[in-house]
Amino acid sequence: MADKEDQKSATITIKKYANRRLYNTATSSYVTLDHLCQMVKDGLDFVVYDAKTGEDITRSVLTQIIVEEESKGQNLLPISFLRQLIGFYGDNMQWMVPRYLEYSMQSFSRNQEQMRDYFQNTLGGMFPFGRLEEVGKQNMAMFERAMRMFSPVGGAEDGQPGEHPAA
C-alpha cells in the first residue's frame, strides 16, 4: 500500500517526441492522451517535456486532453464560460483569472462528496423509481396536483382534476 502512496506523490515525467508520441519514463512505455487523462483522474501527477528542447509543455498537453474530451461529447465547459475565458486574454485582470479558477476548483473538489450526498439524498428520495417511465408518471402526477391547487374553477375541493363547465 505504501508503494501506491509513493506512486501518487512522485511526479512522473512524460516526454513528447517530434513524431507526437508521448513516452512515460516511469513505465518505459509509450502512452496516449487517453492514458494521461486516466492518470489525471487517478490523481497521478505528471509533467510533460518536449524531448528535443526540454521545454515544459504540460499546460498545452492538458489543454489538448480537454479538447479531446470535449470532442467526445463530454461537454463540461459551457460555451458562455469559454467565451468569457477567451475574453480575459489580454485583459488587465488576466493575472487574477488562473488563481481564481484554481481556488474555485479546489473549493468545488472539497465539497464534491458533500454535494453528491446532497443530490443523492434529495433526488433519490423524491424519485425512488429506477425506470424513466415511472419517474415520468410521478412528475405528471405532481404537476397535476399542483395545477389542481391553483385551478380557479372547481376541482380543488374534490381532489379531481378541474373540469371546466361548458360555456
Side-chain angles (χ1 to χ4, degrees), residues 1-59:
M1 213 183 283
D3 291 339
K4 278 195 173 192
E5 290 301 318
D6 291 341
Q7 261 186 329
K8 283 193 177 189
S9 64
T11 301
I12 298 168
T13 300
I14 307 292
K15 293 183 179 180
K16 185 172 184 179
Y17 290 96
N19 62 2
R20 298 184 185 168
R21 293 192 75 183
L22 299 162
Y23 185 76
N24 183 335
T25 60
T27 61
S28 301
S29 62
Y30 287 100
V31 294
T32 64
L33 289 177
D34 286 336
H35 288 113
L36 296 182
C37 181
Q38 189 59 50
M39 288 171 67
V40 169
K41 291 177 181 180
D42 292 342
L44 299 174
D45 193 25
F46 61 86
V47 63
V48 183
Y49 294 106
D50 181 288
K52 185 176 183 180
T53 66
E55 177 187 1
D56 183 346
I57 57 172
T58 307
R59 181 183 313 276

Side-chain angles (χ1 to χ4, degrees), residues 12 35 88 95 118 132-133:
I12 298 168
H35 288 113
F88 280 115
W95 64 271
Y118 172 77
L132 188 58
E133 180 182 14

Side-chain angles (χ1 to χ4, degrees), residues 76-96:
L76 192 62
L77 302 173
I79 290 175
S80 61
F81 173 81
L82 294 171
R83 290 180 194 274
Q84 288 173 329
L85 191 61
I86 291 168
F88 280 115
Y89 283 96
D91 187 88
N92 60 357
M93 296 298 285
Q94 175 181 342
W95 64 271
M96 187 187 283

